[in-house]
Amino acid sequence: MKKIALALMLLLAASPALAISRYNPLTMSCASVRAAIHNQGAVIFRYRSPRGLPLYDRYVRNSHYCDATDYAEWTHIPSKDDPRCPVLNCQNIDNLDGMLFIPHYQL
């Protein structure tokens, strides 16, 4: 019984570290979007496309927040004041098409 209680306590103590913040970028300025990513390292942005479909993805400060087989690449998401706010998200390293070096972009 003590082992179960200890395992439960360890699980509960570790769970806040696994949490990731979720935001709607259409309610934030581009500077706020980029600041949220920079301050937290990785966030999820959820918003509706112009066609009404829900879109979401994980955006990161740099490649250190990606899996070992991924790297951070520039992309754009809409924000309240900029329809093409530049941010980074993780892309598979296979997308480099034979480049010798992995780019290390920083937000």
Side-chain angles (χ1 to χ4, degrees):
M1 187 62 150
K2 289 182 181 179
K3 289 181 181 180
I4 294 172
L6 179 62
L8 184 60
M9 287 175 41
L10 290 173
L11 180 66
L12 291 175
S15 62
L18 300 175
I20 186 167
S21 298
R22 291 169 172 82
Y23 299 100
N24 181 350
L26 298 175
T27 63
M28 305 167 68
S29 68
C30 184
S32 297
V33 165
R34 293 170 55 93
I37 297 169
H38 187 269
N39 292 338
Q40 296 181 30
V43 299
I44 293 176
F45 285 114
R46 263 172 64 171
Y47 57 95
R48 293 215 174 266
S49 73
R51 295 181 184 179
L53 300 172
L55 300 175
Y56 64 93
D57 206 349
R58 183 173 176 268
Y59 299 92
V60 295
R61 183 187 318 164
N62 57 39
S63 293
H64 296 284
Y65 293 91
C66 298
D67 289 337
T69 58
D70 294 345
Y71 70 101
E73 182 62 70
W74 288 107
T75 189
H76 299 90
I77 61 171
S79 65
K80 186 164 77 170
D81 63 343
D82 186 355
R84 292 183 48 85
C85 183
V87 293
L88 294 169
N89 79 331
C90 297
Q91 298 291 321
N92 192 295
I93 208 160
D94 292 337
N95 294 346
L96 289 174
D97 294 328
M99 288 178 57
L100 294 176
F101 300 103
I102 299 171
H104 186 71
Y105 299 123
Q106 180 87 17
L107 185 63

